[in-house]
Amino acid sequence: MKRIISIVVSLIILVIIYWKIDFTNLIEIFQNSNIYWMIVSLCMVVPITTITAWRLQQLAPKQAQLSFGEANKLILAASVLNMVLPSKMGDIAKAYFMRQQGHLTGSLSLSLVVFEKTCDLLSLLLWCVLGLILYPYKNWLFWLMTVSVGLGLTLGLLLLSSHKFAQIFFVLSKAISTKKLKIKIQKLQFSWEEMHHYFWRDRANLLKIALTSIFIWFLHLLQIWFFILALKAWTPFLANLALSPLAILAGLLPLTFAGVGTRDAALIAFYQPYFNASTAAALGLLCTSRYLLPAIGGLPFLGQYLTTVRNLSQEK
């Protein structure tokens, strides 16, 4: 039911967007786009996915014997599931799949995925804070977002680095949560504690994973900038570091299907100083392709995931 509601909300937002913009102009923007930059920007999916798979392989302990090819299949198949399952459940299914294949124990595989997604979010927030600090057109709203994103980054770093702070955070979270949510927080707390124990044992590897995550998200934001060049528009790269993460964060809100709609509206609002709404809407379509292309690439590997998804649904 939640998935149906999110699809409906996405459709409503898109109808409003395309009703207000010049649709003919949108088509012309794609027809007149720079083919070279369009190919380069879309092909960025390949190195981003490849490096993300390498990071997953580095995260897994050596005894797991997770090959680079298997890591790629896991990333691609999870991309498919993230398009159709709520709340990024494809990544949770990825942990269950690693457990089923005998690579890791159930708790450690979930801890690994939690750490992976935490690194992604913190890296995105880091680039966003840097961009917002350097962004030239700051009004009260952008100062508010700068402070909010900065607080989010600080909270995440404290949760990741301080075991005591994490314990206090989870205790307070459970105290103000519903009974159903408390169970989920309890599971997350257990995985978080195991993650602390596992990853802080090897600080050299921890640093390698952190730097790799920051680089991966640099490539994500660079790809969006390449999209802008492909549309024959212009935004200073430093400004793009501020604006594109904000749009991505808007797409992560659990309101719409795969971020479609909220992300598009955010792109139109945030990039208004640099190009018109039709160009921003075209950018929104290209940003959706960032999620669609890996999902298409993961379809051949989806079959071996289906049993995992059914088991995950039964455990919920």
Side-chain angles (χ1 to χ4, degrees), residues 131 135-136 235-245 271 274:
Y135 187 66
T235 302
F237 183 69
L238 290 178
N240 184 68
L241 287 181
L243 302 177
S244 53
Y271 282 90
Y274 299 103

Side-chain angles (χ1 to χ4, degrees), residues 7-21 23 256-257 259-265 268 281 284-285 288:
I7 292 174
V8 171
V9 172
S10 288
L11 289 174
I12 291 174
I13 296 175
L14 289 178
V15 167
I16 294 173
I17 289 174
Y18 290 115
W19 177 60
K20 288 192 173 185
I21 68 171
F23 192 75
T256 55
F257 173 72
V260 175
T262 48
R263 184 172 54 246
D264 301 74
I268 292 173
L285 292 174
T288 299

